[in-house]
Amino acid sequence: MIVIGLTGGIGTGKSEVARRLQERGAVVINADQVGHEAYTPHSETWQAVVKAFGEQILQESGEIDRRKLGGIVFADPQQLARLNGIMHPRMAGIVSGRLEGLRESGTPVAVVEAAVLFEAGWDSLVDEVWTTDSPVEAVVHRLQARNGLDAEEARKRIAAQMSSEERAARATVVIANSGDLATLESTIKELWEHRVEGRIERT
């Protein structure tokens, strides 16, 4: 099985790339969804997060309010490190287990989609890393439109992550995403044909 790690900063188009890889037959493991599952009320991970950040991060239903939690951790690097220390090892275990299941079932291509792929050390779980990249101003506009953040909050989210330069230096492939979907589709098509299809045939 070929395992691609797909990363990139918030608002740079990871989900769009993942969707196009899925259309070509890849099975996508989305780290946000894994994290959401790990937050299931009263689970071991949920208890650890509530103990660390207090019950003020909970909704009336008992669900963790990810927006409230985000407001806390993205404003304070120490708090973000604290949350990551709780979440990353637990999520790595879930991702690793899913990859093993896909291998056993004969899946040819899997994609681990994670903004924090490098920070969490999950690049050790994949064969190569593809990262999306977009101009900062374009990302700010996307976050304002998509997430309802103001420009200052959007820049905080961007600044809290690994720099695009570091991601690019560590990745196997850099996918430039200006927002032009036709160009993005052409890029993914070429990458799939040259980096994936040939390897599937050889295996």
Side-chain angles (χ1 to χ4, degrees):
M1 184 170 76
I2 301 165
V3 184
I4 299 166
L6 177 60
T7 190
I10 187 172
T12 59
K14 285 185 306 302
S15 296
E16 188 64 34
V17 172
R19 187 176 68 78
R20 288 164 193 270
L21 293 174
Q22 194 167 32
E23 286 173 352
R24 288 168 166 81
V27 175
V28 177
I29 299 171
N30 180 287
D32 280 347
Q33 290 176 358
V34 171
H36 193 70
E37 290 167 24
Y39 281 147
T40 300
H42 310 293
S43 65
E44 187 266 340
T45 303
W46 178 93
Q47 290 175 16
V49 173
V50 173
K51 183 177 178 182
F53 296 96
E55 293 188 0
Q56 75 269 17
I57 64 168
L58 295 177
Q59 299 173 354
E60 287 185 12
S61 62
E63 299 270 349
I64 289 173
D65 187 325
R66 297 183 77 175
R67 188 154 189 161
K68 276 187 186 175
L69 183 58
I72 294 168
V73 301
F74 288 113
D76 183 342
Q78 287 186 326
Q79 295 284 54
L80 181 59
R82 189 180 190 189
L83 178 63
N84 289 343
I86 295 168
M87 297 299 296
H88 289 173
R90 291 167 171 84
M91 290 171 66
I94 296 171
V95 171
S96 182
R98 290 193 183 171
L99 287 173
E100 193 54 43
L102 292 174
R103 279 194 186 90
E104 289 173 2
S105 67
T107 299
V109 186
V111 174
V112 178
E113 179 192 352
V116 295
L117 191 84
F118 288 124
E119 296 94 321
W122 299 342
D123 50 318
S124 63
L125 301 175
V126 306
D127 299 315
E128 62 182 54
V129 177
W130 297 7
T131 185
T132 51
D133 192 23
S134 295
V136 172
E137 287 309 311
V139 174
V140 170
H141 288 310
R142 282 176 205 155
L143 294 181
Q144 287 178 295
R146 186 187 76 187
N147 298 45
L149 302 176
D150 61 34
E152 182 184 356
E153 185 63 26
R155 291 181 193 281
K156 273 186 190 175
R157 297 288 175 102
I158 295 166
Q161 298 184 325
M162 178 181 286
S163 72
S164 58
E165 291 79 11
E166 186 175 352
R167 276 199 204 88
R170 295 175 62 178
T172 319
V173 171
V174 178
I175 301 167
N177 178 27
S178 65
D180 179 345
L181 293 180
T183 301
L184 185 64
E185 169 60 24
S186 177
T187 300
I188 300 308
K189 181 175 183 288
E190 186 174 344
L191 285 169
W192 184 266
E193 289 173 353
H194 288 87
R195 301 197 67 89
V196 180
E197 281 185 342
R199 290 168 66 183
I200 295 172
E201 288 165 6
R202 286 198 298 274
T203 55

